[in-house]
Amino acid sequence: MAQKGKTIRNDNLLDIKDLSIHFLLDEGIVRAVNDLSFTLKSGETMGIVGETGAGKTTTALGIMGLVQSPPGLVVKGEIHFDGQNLLKLSENEMRRVRGKKISMIFQDPMTSLNPVMPVRDQIAEVVLLHENVSARVALMKADEMLNLVGIRAERARDYPHQFSGGMRQRVVIAIALACNPALLIADEPTTALDVTIQAQVLETMRQLKTELNTSMIMITHDLGIVADICDKVAIMYAGTVVELAAKRDLFTNPRHPYTAGLFGSIPDISRDEDILKPIKGIMPDPTNLPRGCPFHPRCDKATAECESFDMRQTEVSGGHFVKCALYSGLAERAG
């Protein structure tokens, strides 16, 4: 594990290794994230997909250093960002990272914005916090960012309640990108928006990502958004990544039964189907996860081995990783 102040040199902007985050409650231990690993290169966009309760938002909060403790606890793992292990940084050091190097867009813009401050001032506040500039320059930067996300200058002094949901989300994007972070985490950024506004917000994010050369993690349950905006995809189930691959590879050749089940639950206009094939059962209780593979009680391909499977990751093809007993012998056979 890297020591504080030292850096690890590799080609990845973000490198998460064996991350586990639990919540210690009176009712029991909520195992929200378990042995999670993935990497993200500069300029890449990764989609993190999974059902509600899969651990997607907890993963994002772990990267941001915002897991509330107590009851939250990072049990083990490493989060290397730009060569530093974020879990070794003090809270003061993390404050300099948040907003400046890593920014996050939360699901509901109304809970992210201050209702008694004009939107212009809220963007300027972030700039003043992280950059050594005057208040005048910060306000100019705020106006520039509002223009960049398609909000006219005359609206800069308006308050959040004076904007529509889509416009508020644009303000949140402007705040997140004000200091040109290397990594943007978007947690279900279009959930509360209608389809037309969703498309506009996603197009804004795509354009800004290209212009500012920002890497992005898109947390969503919508595979359509993933197909539209992401380069690679991590499928999460019960707190861990069960499949990770480039977008095209994952969409054309899903390997994990859970991933296949997700695609089977989506209408496909290219196929003549009368009914969909939903995944049976529900997500397991995170305080009482099944032994072995957590998906095996719902899996049509489950065998006795699944109940003792240690959830090791197997590379089934170049850059395509799966945690599934069906492929557990592949690495040994290839060797």
Side-chain angles (χ1 to χ4, degrees), residues 41-94:
K41 297 184 183 299
S42 295
E44 275 188 331
T45 296
M46 170 184 280
I48 299 182
V49 182
E51 297 173 77
T52 299
K56 306 184 298 295
T57 297
T58 302
T59 299
L61 295 175
I63 296 170
M64 295 290 292
L66 293 175
V67 175
Q68 185 175 348
S69 178
L73 179 67
V74 177
V75 177
K76 66 172 184 173
E78 301 175 22
I79 303 175
H80 292 283
F81 172 76
D82 198 21
Q84 281 188 306
N85 186 353
L86 299 183
L87 297 180
K88 292 293 184 180
L89 301 184
S90 67
E91 177 56 27
N92 284 335
E93 290 170 322
M94 274 304 299

Side-chain angles (χ1 to χ4, degrees), residues 44 96 98 108 150 194 210-211 323 334:
E44 275 188 331
R96 291 194 285 271
R98 286 193 293 263
D108 184 0
D194 64 52
T210 302
E211 290 177 23
K323 286 183 177 179

Side-chain angles (χ1 to χ4, degrees), residues 6 18 24 37 81 94 102 105 114-115 122 142 175 178 205 217 231-232 241 243 251 318 324 327 329 331:
K6 294 187 178 181
D18 300 321
L24 310 181
S37 299
F81 172 76
M94 274 304 299
I102 308 175
I105 301 171
N114 188 329
Q122 297 190 51
I175 292 172
M205 293 177 66
I217 293 175
D231 301 311
K232 63 182 183 181
V241 172
E243 186 161 8
F251 272 62
C324 179
Y327 304 94

Side-chain angles (χ1 to χ4, degrees), residues 9 11 18 31-32 37 62 79 100 108 115 123 131 178 188 191 196 201 238 244 258 280 321 330 335:
R9 295 192 177 276
D11 295 331
D18 300 321
R31 293 172 171 81
S37 299
I79 303 175
K100 175 64 176 176
D108 184 0
I123 301 172
E131 298 183 5
E188 303 272 12
T191 295
T196 302
V201 169
L244 172 66
Y258 177 64
K280 65 182 181 181
F321 299 91
L330 191 62

Side-chain angles (χ1 to χ4, degrees), residues 139-153:
L139 288 170
M140 290 174 60
K141 175 73 171 184
D143 292 340
E144 177 186 326
M145 292 305 302
L146 287 171
N147 179 66
L148 204 58
V149 297
I151 296 178
R152 301 189 309 273

Side-chain angles (χ1 to χ4, degrees), residues 48 95 104 122 131 143 146 189 216 233 238 273 283 287 304 331:
I48 299 182
R95 285 196 189 103
M104 185 166 174
Q122 297 190 51
E131 298 183 5
D143 292 340
L146 287 171
M216 184 161 65
V233 190
E273 295 180 327
M283 183 85 70
T287 64

